[in-house]
Amino acid sequence: MIHSSQLLRRALLADAVFSGVSAIAMVLDTGALASLLGLPEALLRETGLFLIAYTALVGWLGARTSLPKGPVILVVAGNAAWTLASIALLLSGAVSPNLLGIIVILAQAIATGVFAELQYMGLRRSQGVVTA
């Protein structure tokens, strides 16, 4: 267990808010969002459903002052992987988003990468306050 730094808690909570808003938009308005971005409905819906569970986990972690280190490392690694996977998705040709879709994918990739970095920095600041 670690005693989380204020930076780690804030970064986790900001990630939960960002992910939660994205999840709501993707699940509740999949068709309109798919048309607006030029992305497949199934991709948006499944991503939104995943983000609901992710939001719950990250929000729970961010609300705690003492938490297990393993799940935090998993969140940081997952955010880094999400960033790389988003860029790979655009380069793969598996989807054909319009310009707005490309901008949205790149913006969320950057935001997710920033969350990964902030969470990593917050985790490093938490290292000195390890509990038994």
Side-chain angles (χ1 to χ4, degrees), residues 52-105:
I52 291 170
Y54 177 80
T55 297
L57 170 66
V58 176
W60 178 79
L61 289 170
R64 300 173 52 92
T65 56
S66 181
L67 57 131
K69 185 177 178 181
V72 176
I73 292 171
L74 184 64
V75 167
V76 172
N79 277 337
W82 188 286
T83 298
L84 296 175
S86 296
I87 295 166
L89 177 67
L90 287 176
L91 297 175
S92 73
V95 295
S96 300
N98 57 29
L99 179 60
L100 182 59
I102 292 169
I103 291 168
V104 167
I105 290 171

Side-chain angles (χ1 to χ4, degrees), residues 115-129:
F115 286 137
E117 180 63 25
L118 291 172
Q119 290 159 354
Y120 177 75
M121 290 170 37
L123 182 60
R124 299 269 308 185
R125 289 184 186 178
S126 300
Q127 296 291 346
V129 194

